[in-house]
Amino acid sequence: MTSKAVDCRRAAVLGKPIGHSLSPVLHRAAYAELGLGDWSYDRFEVDEAGLPAFFAGLGPEWAGLSLTMPLKRAVMPLLDEVSETAASVDAVNTVVFTEDGRKVGDNTDIPGMVAALREHGIEEVESAAILGAGATASSALAALARICPGEVVVYVRSAARAAEMREWGERLDVEVRTADWADAAEALHAPLVIATTPAGTADALATAVPERPTTLFDVLYDPWPTELAARWSMFGGAVVGGLDLLVHQAVLQVERMTGRTPAPLEAMRRAGERALAAR
């Protein structure tokens, strides 16, 4: 291994589509703040079929990868080790290449959610509600397993999704009850509401925000604020946004890939805010 391979380290985010990703902005801001001038962070559009070939072409200069959909599960057979956190939801969003050449998968979305809530003063809640039942909802359940000892009600559109979320609850040791999306307005009265639905899906619920809302965690960040988040804030409720999650999970990625702790949270957040404002 040459000194250049050691000193000029590389990292990147993979997925399809990938052009919208803020990860390069966040990671590059961290490198600048940490004085890692020889580090680079790029984005590559890679699908499930192309992932094995991409991995095969990586050299010793690579420090790590961030993964978005549809690669979080597809990458797992290519790894030498998967963390307990990632295995709990069958999803890897971070790969770290160790000095001895091993490929280690982790999931920073889950602790990132917990950290984002903690930053807003949410250490524990007695119960919670989740809007939606996709991949992010399972990560939300895993995060709630750490801070919510009571019931989690998940609002879904189909019986199949309901069954999936109950299975995730059993696997993660979370008390899950499912309810029909038609009753989703009831979710807004929970101590903590986590909205995991695609853009626009929860807009109709904005008119149902209660007079004294508690805390909303809306995982979207573009466009921001969502109609639900804007109405929630207008009524005085606490709002945790998708950029909060994105930054906190990226902080953990930077720390794992570079070995430098702590990563510069505020510098990364400012970079993300500037990039979103420019869109």
Side-chain angles (χ1 to χ4, degrees):
M1 184 182 300
T2 66
S3 60
K4 182 177 181 180
V6 173
D7 297 334
C8 300
R9 306 305 305 275
R10 297 189 66 185
V13 59
L14 313 181
K16 186 175 183 179
I18 201 62
H20 68 287
S21 175
L22 278 181
S23 291
V25 170
L26 303 182
H27 284 251
R28 291 169 186 169
Y31 296 166
E33 194 75 11
L34 293 169
L36 299 175
D38 290 331
W39 282 63
S40 65
Y41 190 101
D42 302 298
R43 60 164 65 90
F44 295 95
E45 187 155 297
V46 179
D47 60 13
E48 293 165 288
L51 190 59
F54 186 92
F55 262 69
L58 299 179
E61 73 276 14
W62 282 86
L65 297 170
S66 308
L67 301 174
T68 185
M69 299 306 291
L71 305 178
K72 293 184 179 183
R73 183 169 295 178
V75 74
M76 295 179 73
L78 304 176
L79 304 176
D80 299 301
E81 180 183 340
V82 174
S83 72
E84 183 177 338
T85 300
S88 72
V89 289
D90 288 339
V92 166
N93 79 326
T94 307
V95 177
V96 175
F97 301 100
T98 65
E99 291 183 2
D100 59 1
R102 301 176 73 250
K103 301 180 287 292
V104 180
D106 199 1
N107 186 307
T108 63
D109 287 331
I110 295 166
M113 282 188 176
V114 174
L117 287 166
R118 184 179 297 120
E119 184 181 34
H120 285 77
I122 308 299
E123 299 278 351
E124 182 175 307
V125 289
E126 64 269 25
S127 61
I130 296 176
L131 299 173
T136 305
S138 61
S139 291
L141 268 184
L144 288 170
R146 304 183 180 193
I147 66 168
C148 179
E151 181 183 67
V152 177
V153 184
V154 185
Y155 290 82
V156 299
R157 291 186 182 276
S158 71
R161 288 291 196 180
E164 287 177 8
M165 294 309 295
R166 288 193 294 270
E167 289 174 7
W168 278 116
E170 292 178 7
R171 179 169 174 174
L172 295 164
D173 197 24
V174 177
E175 182 185 348
V176 169
R177 176 168 63 86
T178 54
D180 191 88
W181 184 262
D183 299 319
E186 297 176 2
L188 308 187
H189 296 274
L192 170 63
V193 182
I194 304 181
T196 70
T197 52
T201 304
D203 286 354
L205 297 175
T207 57
V209 172
E211 290 185 4
R212 295 183 179 180
T214 51
T215 300
L216 170 70
F217 192 162
D218 194 327
V219 303
L220 295 173
Y221 63 85
D222 187 18
W224 185 261
T226 63
E227 289 190 27
L228 180 59
R231 182 85 169 184
W232 200 275
S233 293
M234 186 174 72
F235 277 58
V239 175
V240 185
L243 184 61
D244 294 309
L245 169 58
L246 192 65
V247 171
H248 275 284
Q249 66 83 27
V251 160
L252 296 171
Q253 288 185 334
V254 169
E255 292 175 351
R256 284 157 172 71
M257 293 179 191
T258 68
R260 302 282 291 272
T261 303
L265 171 68
E266 290 307 321
M268 295 168 71
R269 192 199 310 274
R270 289 193 299 271
E273 290 171 344
R274 288 194 297 269
L276 286 175
R279 289 187 174 182

